């Protein structure tokens, strides 16, 4: 299987070509191919590092093929699968051409791979209940898409249906208040430990408002955020970090002038702490997704604690974006789990109970900048001058408020007697302890299976948020096919990658998820979508007796797992990228 990147990688590693030539070849590759090349060189270097150690063990491991590795037998399988898939979801397929002329949807191109594009479409749902979604073809799926993180009680929990039906019956007047708006804010304040609560229409807006408050409070301009995070659609927080650490506008239509006000630092890195400390006089706020949903394995608790100390010391507002982790990993979200209290937190998803929302919470010091703070009717108090612009026709939409009230009440009720739900110790039968425990058990079982079968896959999780990760490979055809097969085995996921368990998932559902993952992977192995690579691995000196895991069937050499943690891999990757980019220097 000799692809262009393999050839280039070999030439570079064996130093058969001059640096100049290597750069030329590298520059000629597409961005994806560049990434593949770097991944290949990195894994060869890692293997080479292992070889330098004394106790070598010959072994092999599985690697997924990607679209450039397709052979006739793979193409034949894909063709058959596409036919089966067409029979499986004909009405959903039929619904696409009807939909997609008038209906513009960027998501349909997400992770699109030409060779399997016949199967690349969203199915059309008919209904959803509990842990299940049903499509218009009569298929029923266990839904682990979690509605992109919104869903924690399963579909249509009775308490929510009741609240929403009653709200609809009352009509949807927008100008005044809903009866429960104050109580909903109070519950959110109690659960999160922050004084004041503001509703917005979306998560994006919550982040816009929080950063605006930070700028208004400090009279400074720059917002620090971290590589790998996502904070919604606003130009205000969308920038990429280049090799030299500059912020670049994230795409067409986004102005560099906005990106110039954003500083993108490396997440979890000591240098980033130093940067914040040394540039605090220009930093209006630090915005953090404490556990980035796209890099769940990275949970830099000590970094966050230190960041909190520095931001307090230098009077820089710290904002946590807990859009996904908020009310997901515990009533206090990641801030509760890590024991780090920021100045403001942005939420969305779960508090909306299935309806669009965003929420900003924070101390009065910051939140008063929205409405001038509290004042009394019966004395001569007045709001302090209002400085921060805020609006939103639907920010306090009564349907949303009814859903938020019902959801927050349910969380309050189901965590009331649990001391550990909020600190993630998983010791009781409260809502989060139970849900998080159940997810851990599922993830551990699947991760053991991957390890035992020598599959280069792992599932990262944080509470009931989890994500499949193909180690050492960017999204390729094998990974894409796994998700198609999962669907055909009755499991609905989300193309964007984040998966979630809800309280509606039973142990039986989880067993079915596990079985479907195993079945899908067995098919892919059988059809040749994973290939065995011979490597030399070392028994790590830190391995304790009994740590070694059994090998995949079919191999004869004894196998140990090389202990390389993700931060090391990430660092190596970054070094390689910057090395290749600066090859000619
Ligand atoms: N921040 C984070 C961490 C998110 O994951 C998202 C969306 N998933 C947002 C902000 C934006 O939220 P919304 O899509 O509601 O605008």
């Amino acid at each position: 299987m000799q692809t262009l990147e393999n050839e280039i990688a070999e030439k570079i590693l064996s130093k058969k070509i001059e640096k100049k030539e290597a750069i030329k070849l590298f520059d000629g590759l597409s961005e994806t191919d560049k990434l593949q090349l770097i991944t290949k060189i990195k894994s060869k270097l890692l293997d080479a590092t292992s070889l330098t150690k004394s106790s070598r063990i010959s072994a092999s491991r599985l690697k997924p093929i990607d679209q450039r590795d397709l052979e006739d037998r793979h193409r034949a399988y894909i063709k058959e699968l596409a036919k089966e898939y067409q029979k499986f979801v004909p009405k959903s397929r039929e619904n696409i051409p009807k939909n997609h002329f008038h209906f513009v949807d960027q998501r349909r191109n997400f992770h699109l791979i030409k060779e399997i594009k016949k199967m690349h479409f969203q199915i059309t749902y008919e209904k959803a209940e509990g842990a299940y979604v049903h499509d218009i073809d009569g298929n029923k799926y266990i839904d682990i898409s979690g509605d992109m993180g919104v869903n924690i009680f399963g579909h249509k929990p009775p308490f929510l249906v009741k609240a929403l039906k009653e709200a609809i019956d009352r009509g949807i007047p927008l100008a005044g208040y809903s009866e429960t708006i104050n109580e909903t804010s109070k519950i959110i304040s109690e659960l999160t430990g922050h004084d004041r609560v503001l509703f917005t229409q979306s998560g994006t807006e919550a982040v816009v408002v929080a950063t605006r408050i930070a700028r208004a409070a400090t009279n400074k301009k720059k917002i620090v955020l971290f590589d790998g995070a996502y904070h919604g659609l606003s130009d205000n927080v969308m920038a990429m970090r280049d090799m030299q650490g500059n912020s670049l506008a994230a795409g067409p239509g986004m102005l560099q002038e906005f990106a110039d006000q954003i500083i993108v630092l490396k997440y979890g890195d000591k240098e980033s702490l130093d940067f914040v400390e040394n540039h605090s006089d220009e930093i209006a706020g630090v915005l953090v997704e404490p556990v980035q949903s796209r890099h769940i394995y990275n949970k830099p608790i000590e970094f966050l604690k230190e960041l909190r100390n520095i931001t307090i010391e230098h009077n820089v507002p710290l904002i946590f974006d807990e859009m996904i982790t908020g009310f997901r990993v515990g009533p206090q979200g990641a801030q509760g789990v890590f024991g780090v209290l920021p100045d403001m937190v942005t939420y969305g998803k779960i508090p909306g109970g299935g309806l669009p929302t965003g929420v900003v919470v924070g101390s009065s010091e910051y939140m008063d900048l929205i409405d001038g703070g509290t004042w009394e009717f019966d004395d001569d108090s007045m709001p302090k001058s209002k400085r921060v612009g805020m609006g939103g026709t639907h920010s306090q939409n009564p349907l949303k408020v009814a859903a938020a009230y019902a959801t927050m009440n349910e969380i309050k009720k189901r965590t009331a007697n649990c001391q550990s739900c909020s600190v993630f110790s998983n010791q009781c039968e409260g809502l989060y302890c139970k849900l998080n425990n159940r997810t851990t058990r599922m993830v551990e079982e699947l991760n053991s299976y991957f390890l035992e079968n020598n599959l280069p896959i792992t599932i990262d999780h944080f509470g009931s948020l989890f994500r499949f990760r193909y180690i050492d490979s960017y999204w390729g055809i094998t990974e894409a096919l796994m998700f198609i097969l999962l669907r055909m085995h009755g499991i609905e996921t989300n193309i964007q990658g984040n998966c979630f368990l809800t309280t509606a998932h039973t142990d039986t559902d989880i067993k079915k998820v596990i079985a479907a993952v195993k079945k899908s992977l067995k098919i892919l192995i059988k059809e040749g979508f994973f290939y065995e690579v011979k490597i030399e691995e070392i028994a790590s000196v830190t391995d304790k007796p009994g740590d070694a895991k059994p090998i995949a069937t079919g191999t004869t050499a004894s196998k140990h797992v090389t202990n390389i943690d993700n931060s090391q891999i990430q660092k190596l990757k970054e070094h390689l990228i910057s090395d290749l980019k600066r090859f000619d220097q």
Side-chain angles (χ1 to χ4, degrees), residues 180-199:
T180 53
I181 191 135
N182 193 46
E183 187 57 21
T184 311
S185 309
K186 188 164 168 260
I187 299 173
I188 293 177
S189 162
E190 283 166 7
L191 289 174
T192 62
H194 289 268
D195 299 337
R196 305 198 67 207
V197 178
L198 169 78
F199 291 98

Side-chain angles (χ1 to χ4, degrees), residues 2-19:
Q2 190 69 338
T3 62
L4 183 58
E5 316 94 68
N6 275 340
E7 257 178 59
I8 302 175
E10 256 164 42
K11 281 182 183 169
I12 291 174
L13 286 162
S14 59
K15 300 199 174 85
K16 276 190 191 148
I17 47 173
E18 290 292 311
K19 282 180 185 175

Side-chain angles (χ1 to χ4, degrees), residues 32 49 64 68 70 72 95 102 107 131 178 183 194 294 297 349 404 468 487 502 506 531 541:
T32 321
T49 318
R68 282 150 297 203
L70 288 178
D72 287 349
N95 201 28
H102 299 293
R107 251 198 290 171
S178 302
E183 187 57 21
H194 289 268
R294 292 142 198 88
Y297 49 83
K349 309 215 185 243
F468 292 83
R487 183 177 274 167
T502 70
T506 61
Y531 63 102
V541 281

Side-chain angles (χ1 to χ4, degrees), residues 172-447:
I172 313 173
L174 290 181
Y177 288 154
S178 302
E179 225 177 321
T180 53
I181 191 135
N182 193 46
E183 187 57 21
T184 311
S185 309
K186 188 164 168 260
I187 299 173
I188 293 177
S189 162
E190 283 166 7
L191 289 174
T192 62
H194 289 268
D195 299 337
R196 305 198 67 207
V197 178
L198 169 78
F199 291 98
T200 62
Q201 301 172 120
S202 68
T204 294
E205 277 188 8
V207 172
V208 167
V209 173
T211 50
R212 191 176 290 164
I213 292 175
R215 285 190 169 121
T218 59
N219 275 322
K220 292 185 276 184
K221 283 188 180 169
K222 306 269 188 194
I223 297 294
V224 163
L225 43 88
F226 295 94
D227 210 10
Y230 175 65
H231 296 291
L233 268 181
S234 160
D235 291 13
N236 184 35
V237 288
M238 283 193 101
M240 295 182 306
R241 180 185 161 91
D242 75 4
M243 293 301 150
Q244 282 73 40
N246 303 310
S247 305
L248 303 178
M254 297 182 197
L255 302 182
Q256 184 56 38
E257 285 84 341
F258 286 113
D260 289 342
Q261 303 308 326
I262 302 170
I263 300 167
V264 188
L265 300 178
K266 291 185 198 161
Y267 193 42
D269 201 299
K270 166 84 174 74
E271 277 174 30
S272 306
L273 295 174
D274 296 341
F275 186 95
V276 173
E277 187 152 32
N278 296 332
H279 295 80
S280 60
D281 55 345
E282 48 177 323
I283 299 172
V286 179
L287 178 63
V288 193
E289 192 185 357
V291 174
Q292 300 176 345
S293 71
R294 292 142 198 88
H295 309 98
I296 303 172
Y297 49 83
N298 193 10
K299 302 179 181 85
I301 304 176
E302 290 313 313
F303 173 87
L304 287 169
K305 287 186 173 162
E306 195 47 35
L307 184 63
R308 178 67 288 198
N309 292 339
I310 292 169
T311 47
I312 287 176
E313 197 179 317
H314 294 273
N315 219 0
V316 174
L318 178 65
I319 308 161
F320 272 12
D321 181 353
E322 294 227 44
M323 216 59 66
I324 291 185
T325 52
F327 308 102
R328 165 64 56 187
V329 299
Q332 264 205 307
Q335 55 157 2
V337 174
F338 295 159
V340 177
L341 195 73
D343 299 296
M344 283 178 275
V345 188
T346 57
Y347 302 101
K349 309 215 185 243
I350 290 176
L355 276 84
T357 200
V359 174
V360 186
V361 303
S363 60
S364 301
E365 178 189 350
Y366 293 105
M367 302 307 288
D368 286 0
L369 288 172
I370 294 285
D371 64 0
T374 50
W375 50 271
E376 299 293 329
F377 287 112
D378 299 326
D379 59 20
D380 60 359
S381 60
M382 286 291 281
K384 286 168 252 155
S385 65
K386 188 166 135 185
R387 293 160 69 186
V388 174
M390 172 60 203
T393 308
H394 285 282
S395 290
Q396 297 165 15
N397 179 302
L399 272 188
K400 183 266 285 290
V401 173
Y405 180 60
T407 305
M408 290 295 106
N409 243 332
E410 189 72 7
I411 290 178
K412 183 179 170 184
K413 212 168 64 193
R414 289 172 71 169
T415 54
N417 299 319
C418 178
Q419 293 306 310
S420 39
C421 269
S422 56
V423 292
F424 219 42
S425 63
N426 296 338
Q427 278 162 3
C428 79
E429 284 296 289
L431 160 59
Y432 292 104
C433 288
K434 228 168 142 184
L435 183 58
N436 296 343
N437 268 336
R438 191 168 262 168
T439 316
T440 305
R441 284 200 302 274
M442 180 192 76
V443 170
E444 281 176 354
E445 180 167 345
L446 278 171
N447 278 343

